[in-house]
Amino acid sequence: MTTVCDSTLVGDVVAGSAAGVRGRLWRLRPAEVRDVAVCVSAEILRLEAIRVAAVDALALNPDEQVLCYRGVGRWLAANTMLQNAAGNKIAALGAALRGFPDIAAQFEAGDLSLDHAAMIVAFCESPPKGMPDRALPSCMKTLLAAASGVEATTIKLRYAIAVLERIFESDEIPPGEDDDLNVLRISPTLNGRVAIKGDFDALTGEMLLSALSGLSMPKPAADGTPDQRSAAKRTADAFTELIRRYLDNAVTGVDGGQRPHVNVHITAKDLAEHRECAATRPSRDAELDVGYMPWMGPLSASLTRMLACDCMLSTVLMDGKGAPLDATPHKRLVTPEQRTALIARDKGCAFPNCDAVPAWCDAHHIEPWSTGGLTVMDNLTLLCRSHHRLIHSTSGFRGIWEIKMGDDHKPWFIPPVAIDPKQRRRRSTTRQGPVHRD
């Protein structure tokens, strides 16, 4: 990723000292401040790559000072403001990149972050046992494509890795679904509090996140003042309420007379049959035969089938392109069946680069009901509250975002001219691979 700081003022801020930088920034126009943030971010990626290479060079040819420490990562931590874990991570990535020159080249070009490079290296070093050796290069290219550019997100890369793991499933349980690896440590502390640390499989995580979702949402005060609690405090309060409700209800294991609800999306065909895994790079637009959970993402077909043996099945009728069909178009409010279909299609907030889960989303009429818009799938999309307000906002200096339903019966978003002069349509890529644009 190449970034050029055209403005002399911007270049001076980027190259200058951080001391007094706030005063210098106030003298710049907002567009120049944006350029500063982008240029600095690119510079950080460049320097990060240099640091990884330098640390690895010391690992291969250490001197007396480095040899005094248990590894070059600890030496780096001792001589910088990094912690041992961060220093060791940098050293480990440098060593690993020796065996993967394509990953190293993209990282050193500034088009791949350190964390994303480490994730891709980890996949390539320990690929799924069902994946043939000849598939590794194409899988690496798929992951590098998912992690490149300004639209790359950790959620998007994790999704790509999870899909590849499902494609090349073996008879062994994927680590993300192996509940034998689950651990939960609860330790009283010296100051009378309790520290909790755990690591769970995807299904347990889905149940926990689903249970906490409604209890952890922000709640305005009686006078309308916004909830002042941090996200961590709201989650802690939700966990406390979850335990209190569990203890208040003597009978456990059921919820309202039904099994606890975990939503898993999969086509009926894929539930019945699991096609043979391909050894070639998957198509970007392919609908893969994996289950999908709103919170935790992909789930293997085998575990999805196991859950289907003891669950309540809700039917969502789909057309030939995999888009849900309509029901009750003349009612203003979205029915539970339509919301289920929207979740199956959008998987959360449909706005580009938003990772809000379905539980935090509203059903939005693309053409307002007040002007004749019907409550049909081609006129509905899921939006989180923040992006719902943005879509309904007046133009102001931001311009108006438009939503158009594409030929694929999925919502596409058109930014205002102020954001993209060419107004190229886009849609969410946080839960799927790259999409083609106009």
Side-chain angles (χ1 to χ4, degrees):
M1 180 175 62
T2 302
T3 303
V4 179
C5 297
D6 295 325
S7 168
T8 301
L9 293 175
V10 170
D12 290 344
V13 172
V14 173
S17 169
V21 68
R22 291 179 179 270
R24 297 198 300 276
L25 286 173
W26 275 111
R27 294 196 292 269
L28 301 181
R29 293 178 288 109
E32 292 175 319
V33 176
R34 284 193 281 109
D35 288 342
V36 168
V38 172
C39 289
V40 169
S41 297
E43 187 70 2
I44 290 172
L45 290 177
R46 185 183 70 84
L47 294 174
E48 192 72 84
I50 294 174
R51 179 167 63 177
V52 169
V55 169
D56 192 45
L58 283 173
L60 293 171
N61 186 28
D63 61 7
E64 291 81 1
Q65 290 193 37
V66 174
L67 289 172
C68 292
Y69 295 86
R70 288 189 294 119
V72 67
R74 286 180 175 270
W75 166 83
L76 180 65
N79 289 274
T80 64
M81 297 178 69
L82 295 174
Q83 299 299 310
N84 283 335
N88 290 336
K89 181 176 181 178
I90 291 169
L93 178 60
L97 288 176
R98 299 173 204 163
F100 300 102
D102 290 346
I103 302 176
Q106 188 161 314
F107 176 55
E108 290 165 4
D111 200 27
L112 187 65
S113 71
L114 184 145
D115 288 336
H116 290 173
M119 292 171 64
I120 297 174
V121 164
F123 175 89
C124 294
E125 287 184 327
S126 301
K129 288 184 168 55
M131 188 179 80
D133 293 340
R134 65 182 183 277
L136 182 58
S138 61
C139 290
M140 186 191 304
K141 289 180 181 178
T142 298
L143 297 181
L144 287 173
S148 67
V150 294
E151 291 186 348
T153 63
T154 300
I155 291 176
K156 179 179 174 181
L157 180 56
R158 283 177 177 166
Y159 186 93
I161 290 174
V163 169
L164 290 176
E165 288 175 342
R166 302 309 184 257
I167 289 175
F168 299 106
E169 278 188 78
S170 65
D171 293 335
E172 296 188 9
I173 301 174
E177 297 175 8
D178 189 355
D179 57 11
D180 286 340
L181 301 178
N182 290 359
V183 292
L184 178 64
R185 297 181 177 89
I186 305 177
S187 308
T189 63
L190 294 177
N191 62 353
R193 298 182 63 81
V194 173
I196 302 176
K197 184 177 181 179
D199 182 23
F200 295 97
D201 63 281
L203 180 57
T204 304
E206 182 74 14
M207 290 189 291
L208 179 60
L209 292 170
S210 297
L212 293 174
S213 173
L215 300 175
S216 62
M217 295 182 70
K219 297 179 180 178
D223 61 358
T225 305
D227 196 330
Q228 299 299 312
R229 297 175 298 167
S230 67
K233 180 63 168 69
R234 295 200 312 270
T235 302
D237 291 346
F239 191 65
T240 301
E241 180 63 19
L242 193 66
I243 296 172
R244 180 180 294 113
R245 293 187 184 189
Y246 176 92
L247 296 176
D248 286 345
N249 293 279
V251 179
T252 58
V254 296
D255 180 11
Q258 299 177 354
R259 303 270 307 189
H261 298 291
V262 172
N263 295 313
V264 181
H265 305 143
I266 192 169
T267 66
K269 176 180 178 294
D270 292 335
L271 187 62
E273 300 176 4
H274 189 183
R275 70 171 182 264
E276 292 298 322
C277 295
T280 58
R281 182 179 179 181
S283 167
R284 292 187 179 209
D285 297 321
E287 292 291 338
L288 299 168
D289 55 346
V290 295
Y292 186 92
M293 298 183 294
W295 287 97
M296 297 297 294
L299 188 70
S300 66
S302 57
L303 183 55
T304 302
R305 290 195 201 96
M306 185 196 76
L307 295 174
C309 292
D310 185 20
C311 72
M312 294 180 63
L313 292 177
S314 298
T315 301
V316 179
L317 298 178
M318 317 287 274
D319 65 13
K321 295 182 179 180
L325 298 176
D326 295 309
T328 60
H330 298 292
K331 291 186 177 180
R332 183 178 70 84
L333 297 178
V334 171
T335 67
E337 293 80 12
Q338 285 177 315
R339 185 171 179 86
T340 299
L342 283 171
I343 293 172
R345 186 193 70 191
D346 295 346
K347 298 181 174 65
C349 180
F351 197 89
N353 299 318
C354 183
D355 58 2
V357 295
W360 299 349
C361 294
D362 303 327
H364 167 70
H365 284 76
I366 297 173
E367 181 184 349
W369 171 264
S370 59
T371 61
L374 297 178
T375 307
V376 296
M377 294 304 298
D378 274 0
N379 194 44
L380 296 170
T381 187
L382 289 181
L383 293 175
C384 68
R385 189 58 55 87
S386 175
H387 287 124
H388 202 174
R389 284 196 298 267
L390 175 67
I391 294 297
H392 281 284
S393 67
T394 56
S395 59
F397 68 90
R398 291 175 295 185
I400 299 176
W401 281 81
E402 294 184 64
I403 308 177
K404 301 289 186 183
M405 195 61 64
D407 294 338
D408 56 0
H409 298 284
K410 294 178 182 178
W412 290 79
F413 292 75
I414 302 173
V417 175
I419 293 178
D420 181 0
K422 295 183 179 180
Q423 291 193 290
R424 289 165 291 195
R425 65 177 192 160
R426 57 188 74 180
R427 66 181 172 92
S428 175
T429 59
T430 57
R431 299 172 184 83
Q432 54 200 320
V435 295
H436 301 295
R437 295 182 181 174
D438 292 340

